[in-house]
């Protein structure tokens, strides 16, 4: 595995790979690699012959009061995990290489980015869209794999690729969960042992929604209210939002139509730690 830190060098390598008819896949991360990231690498390897893993803690997607400075950065451990997973190239630039002095061009997202996570974290998705666009140009992939855990982010990146005519296949990878159902996340390290145990309530909320819809309940707002109550009844937890969206257009959904697919989006606080989760619901 080769470690690259300079964008120009990564671009040169990517261009040579393409000229040699190598199918290139990319997995973009902020480091602190875990089982979820490694599942993305495995899927990328199934889709492409060469895999580039990026590690970049993007300052432009953090708000003023968010955890940029304490975000975990175990780089040596990440290198070992990436190498063991069979990553071909690890691209790990410094912030000044991605955002040099006088950097002033950003990608502005549309209405989808203003809902849910975008409403709670106004700086998030424009920052994500900008860095993802830059990393696409630097790594020149044919395929890019993103986790479905960040379902709204995945929907925005798919919209970005379509709107800007990017010749890149965007692949979504299933959520990886711990034994109790908690979605694997780099931020889980902030949870106490009790919070980590009780955080399974988010996944139980998804299972509750699946059961209620299977039983014939069509009022999605009623189910969302039940899940909010489940979360609020868990000591130390409070719901931020519980919402259903249409799976195809990611538009808010109030009523389930037979044969359609929806996605349940959940954000909740476990003490001082904010967790997100989601699940696909078949009506």
């Amino acid at each position: 595995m080769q470690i690259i830190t300079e964008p120009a060098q990564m671009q040169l390598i990517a261009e040579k790979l393409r000229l040699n008819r190598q199918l290139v896949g990319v997995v973009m991360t902020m480091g602190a690699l875990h089982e979820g990231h490694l599942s993305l690498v495995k899927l990328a390897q199934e889709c492409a012959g060469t895999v580039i893993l990026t590690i970049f803690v993007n300052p432009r997607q953090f708000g003023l009061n968010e955890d940029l400075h304490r975000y975990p950065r175990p780089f040596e451990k990440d290198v070992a995990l990436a190498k063991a997973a069979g990553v071909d190239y690890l691209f790990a630039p410094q912030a000044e290489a991605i955002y040099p002095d006088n950097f002033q061009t950003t990608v502005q997202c549309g209405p989808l980015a203003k809902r849910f996570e975008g409403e709670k974290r106004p700086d998030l998705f424009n920052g994500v869209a900008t860095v993802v666009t830059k990393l696409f140009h630097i790594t020149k992939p044919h395929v890019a794999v993103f986790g479905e855990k960040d379902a709204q982010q995945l929907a925005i990146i798919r919209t970005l690729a379509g709107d800007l005519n990017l010749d890149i296949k965007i692949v979504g990878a299933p959520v990886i969960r711990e034994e109790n159902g908690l979605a694997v996340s780099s931020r889980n390290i902030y949870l106490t042992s009790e919070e980590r145990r009780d955080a399974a309530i988010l996944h139980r909320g998804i299972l509750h929604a699946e059961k209620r819809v299977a039983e014939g309940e069509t009022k999605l707002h009623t189910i969302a209210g039940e899940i909010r109550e489940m979360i609020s009844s868990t000591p130390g937890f409070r719901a931020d939002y519980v919402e259903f969206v249409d799976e195809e257009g990611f538009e808010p959904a109030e009523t389930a139509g037979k044969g359609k697919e929806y996605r349940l989006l959940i954000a909740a606080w476990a003490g001082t730690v904010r967790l997100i989760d989601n699940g696909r619901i078949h009506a």
Side-chain angles (χ1 to χ4, degrees):
M1 183 182 74
Q2 190 172 346
I3 300 174
I4 312 296
T5 59
E6 294 300 323
Q9 184 185 6
M10 187 71 257
Q11 284 180 309
L12 181 62
I13 291 170
E15 184 64 20
K16 287 181 178 179
L17 289 169
R18 293 179 72 99
L19 289 173
N20 289 331
R21 299 184 180 277
Q22 289 290 315
L23 202 61
V24 178
V26 68
V27 174
M28 299 182 187
T29 81
M30 293 205 299
L33 301 183
H34 51 62
E35 186 181 353
H37 295 123
L38 301 181
S39 74
L40 305 185
V41 171
K42 184 177 180 180
L43 184 52
Q45 290 167 332
E46 294 172 3
C47 297
T50 300
V51 173
I52 301 170
L53 175 76
T54 73
I55 293 180
F56 181 64
V57 181
N58 179 27
R60 292 187 173 241
Q61 68 189 71
F62 287 79
L64 289 176
N65 298 315
E66 293 183 337
D67 59 350
L68 172 62
H69 296 297
R70 72 184 186 113
Y71 195 87
R73 294 171 172 83
F75 186 69
E76 291 184 4
K77 179 181 177 183
D78 286 347
V79 168
L81 287 171
K83 187 173 182 180
V87 168
D88 298 289
Y89 296 93
L90 175 60
F91 179 53
Q94 295 298 312
E96 55 269 25
I98 298 297
Y99 301 117
D101 291 343
N102 203 34
F103 180 87
Q104 54 189 295
T105 303
T106 59
V107 177
Q108 300 296 307
C109 299
L112 174 55
K114 293 178 171 58
R115 305 176 194 139
F116 313 122
E117 287 300 289
E119 181 181 356
K120 303 293 181 178
R121 304 171 63 195
D123 297 322
L124 176 61
F125 289 123
N126 289 341
V128 169
T130 298
V131 79
V132 165
T133 301
K134 285 177 68 71
L135 291 173
F136 278 156
H137 286 299
I138 293 168
T139 60
K140 303 179 185 291
H142 299 88
V143 178
V145 180
F146 295 89
E148 289 185 359
K149 177 179 176 291
D150 297 298
Q152 187 177 6
Q153 174 178 282
L154 176 57
I156 287 169
I157 291 170
R158 282 181 167 146
T159 300
L160 166 74
D163 287 350
L164 300 185
N165 300 104
L166 302 180
D167 190 18
I168 302 169
K169 182 179 180 181
I170 308 298
V171 176
V175 179
I176 301 298
R177 300 185 180 279
E178 298 184 5
E179 287 187 10
N180 68 349
L182 173 64
V184 172
S185 169
S186 300
R187 287 187 170 94
N188 288 354
I189 64 170
Y190 300 145
L191 296 169
T192 66
S193 57
E194 292 80 9
E195 289 169 344
R196 199 172 191 126
R197 177 197 66 209
D198 294 341
I201 190 63
L202 275 69
H203 186 233
R204 289 203 297 274
I206 295 169
L207 297 178
H208 176 77
E210 291 175 350
K211 180 175 180 291
R212 294 284 278 127
V213 170
E215 290 171 345
E217 178 60 71
T218 60
K219 296 178 180 178
L220 298 177
H221 59 89
T222 297
I223 301 172
E226 294 167 355
I227 296 168
R228 280 192 289 271
E229 179 61 28
M230 290 170 62
I231 294 170
S232 298
S233 299
T234 303
F237 282 68
R238 59 184 173 90
D240 195 347
Y241 62 77
V242 179
E243 302 285 350
F244 285 88
V245 296
D246 176 82
E247 176 71 1
E248 185 174 346
F250 229 80
E251 295 289 336
E254 290 289 325
T255 304
K258 191 170 180 60
K260 291 189 176 181
E261 285 194 343
Y262 302 88
R263 191 166 289 270
L264 169 61
L265 308 176
I266 302 176
W269 289 93
T272 61
V273 183
R274 190 170 181 275
L275 303 172
I276 62 171
D277 204 343
N278 72 87
R280 186 181 285 113
I281 308 297
H282 302 268

